[in-house]
Amino acid sequence: MKARVTIMPQAAVLDPAGVATAQAIEHLGISGVRSVRIGKSIDLDIEGVTQEQLHQICRDLLSNPVIEDYHLETLS
Amino acid sequence: MRCAVLQFPGSNCDNDALVALRSFQGVTAELVWHQETSLDGFDAIILPGGFSYGDYLRCGAIARFSPIMKALRKAADQGKLILGICNGFQILCEAGFLPGTLIRNRKLLFRCEPVFLRVEEIETPFTSRCAPRQIRLLSKLAAGDEEQEVAARRRGVYKEILDEASTDTTQLFAPAVEFRKKSILRLPIAHGEGCYTADEKTLKELQEHHQILFRYCNEDGEITAAANPNGSMDNIAGICNRQRNIVGLMPHPERACEALLGGIDGRLIFESMLSAASQQV
């Protein structure tokens, strides 16, 4: 089974990489992109891992709850 | 006095910390590999700067799970003094020893330069030697008269105040002297992710419990946006836990322990820590 974790910076947290990318899009000549937020996506290949354990992995290691939110989806 | 310098894969200021600690009389300092499981017998513990685990995932996120961290927790609970520098600060935050976290510098710049820090709290084991009263004595002696100032330095008055253990007279002429009048330190920074971030509640608690020890300032000691190198909330450069035995800061005191290397203000932090640790023993 596979699990995909998407981690995004919380709305209130400054994301300087996203801001810089948004500026680059403008320089590309495309307007209308109001903001960019950069997160990361992590795929796990799992066997016999419970949902609870998956959440523990996300909470304690993959994301930092002070600045990030995670979204967990399992793909069969 | 026995100090441990923890060594993670990717630490790169570990030997600098070792050399800095060993320059103090009566101090033995040893590297402790992250796979070790005990810190028994050490009086103070340093988490050095660097890029532990290549900063994978987030700075300090993986080091948090090293076996030595359990021993660190035990040492922390025993009230031993723990100092995290740069990446060491990031690890302490990730591991929950200190509140908040450090994110990418505003404007994405890696900042590598000397900065000024205002020491906000003197009554901690890490800042006791930064007290402004020592500095007043110093400035009164010198009184802005260059000739007198030099004479005072020659007489060794500065030596006594700056570093009781030091016999190296070259240190007496360090640029640090002038800045100490207001409890301002000049220390180097070198980081890409030093923007201190915490939620409003945490920030308020830090202020209420006087846990903010160092803030970025200009050379007159004023806390300004221009003096903030990385976008840290409240210009925070270093904080402590509520029990005041754990400190993390982004600037590098171990790189400011020799006049030849541009300043000795870092010695004040180590002197404070070592003198507090020796009283604990």
Side-chain angles (χ1 to χ4, degrees), chain B:
Chain B
M1 170 73 49
R2 222 172 136 223
C3 299
V5 177
L6 304 192
Q7 195 179 37
F8 299 91
S11 296
N12 65 11
C13 301
D14 38 353
N15 281 296
D16 304 53
L18 214 57
V19 169
L21 287 167
R22 285 174 181 165
S23 72
F24 292 92
Q25 245 170 12
V27 173
T28 58
E30 295 164 42
L31 291 174
V32 176
W33 183 236
H34 74 120
Q35 298 281 15
E36 298 288 331
T37 52
S38 167
L39 286 164
D40 293 347
F42 289 105
D43 306 305
I45 298 144
I46 311 277
L47 284 81
F51 299 86
S52 59
Y53 293 91
D55 278 353
Y56 296 158
L57 217 49
R58 295 175 309 280
C59 303
I62 299 184
R64 172 191 169 185
F65 293 94
S66 284
I68 196 65
M69 295 305 281
K70 274 193 188 142
L72 190 71
R73 171 46 68 192
K74 188 179 152 201
D77 292 343
Q78 289 169 340
K80 285 190 185 166
L81 300 184
I82 297 168
L83 176 66
I85 301 165
C86 199
N87 187 227
F89 184 14
Q90 293 164 339
I91 295 171
L92 288 175
C93 286
E94 277 286 340
F97 287 81
L98 292 172
T101 192
L102 296 137
I103 63 169
R104 196 79 77 87
N105 290 354
R106 184 174 292 174
K107 305 215 172 119
L108 297 169
L109 285 175
F110 188 98
R111 301 289 299 256
C112 183
E113 65 209 45
V115 295
F116 295 100
L117 298 178
R118 197 166 80 187
V119 183
E120 302 288 15
E121 301 290 332
I122 300 298
E123 286 173 22
T124 82
F126 298 86
T127 52
S128 59
R129 295 290 173 104
C130 306
R133 63 185 162 77
Q134 296 172 319
I135 290 137
R136 244 178 250 132
L137 172 63
L138 207 160
S139 53
K140 193 178 143 202
L141 278 167
D145 181 330
E146 204 179 338
E147 213 171 295
Q148 252 194 17
E149 198 174 339
V150 173
R153 291 182 194 190
R154 290 223 175 100
R155 283 203 307 273
V157 181
Y158 278 63
K159 180 182 146 199
E160 187 190 359
I161 298 159
L162 276 175
D163 177 8
E164 284 155 357
S166 168
T167 50
D168 181 359
T169 49
T170 60
Q171 292 189 351
L172 310 181
F173 295 90
V177 174
E178 293 87 57
F179 302 126
R180 292 190 55 209
K181 284 177 224 162
K182 285 181 190 165
S183 272
I184 302 168
L185 307 180
R186 185 173 179 269
L187 293 179
I189 54 165
H191 60 250
E193 311 202 17
C195 174
Y196 184 79
T197 302
D199 59 37
E200 227 167 275
K201 181 170 159 276
T202 306
L203 204 59
K204 209 164 156 239
E205 281 174 5
L206 286 174
Q207 289 158 348
E208 274 170 9
H209 295 98
H210 301 276
Q211 288 171 258
I212 301 169
L213 302 194
F214 305 105
R215 293 168 79 202
Y216 300 108
C217 65
N218 65 16
E219 59 185 314
D220 296 320
E222 293 154 352
I223 307 296
T224 63
N228 187 339
N230 51 29
S232 283
M233 287 180 170
D234 219 10
N235 280 41
I236 289 174
I239 58 169
C240 68
N241 64 342
R242 213 175 283 185
Q243 293 73 34
R244 295 173 119 62
N245 65 316
I246 304 175
V247 160
L249 80 167
M250 286 314 293
H252 286 272
E254 82 284 9
R255 294 187 191 177
C257 286
E258 299 279 350
L260 196 62
L261 300 180
I264 57 163
D265 283 4
R267 296 189 77 81
L268 297 172
I269 293 174
F270 288 116
E271 274 175 33
S272 306
M273 185 188 84
L274 293 167
S275 108
S278 69
Q279 280 159 22
Q280 275 187 353
V281 174

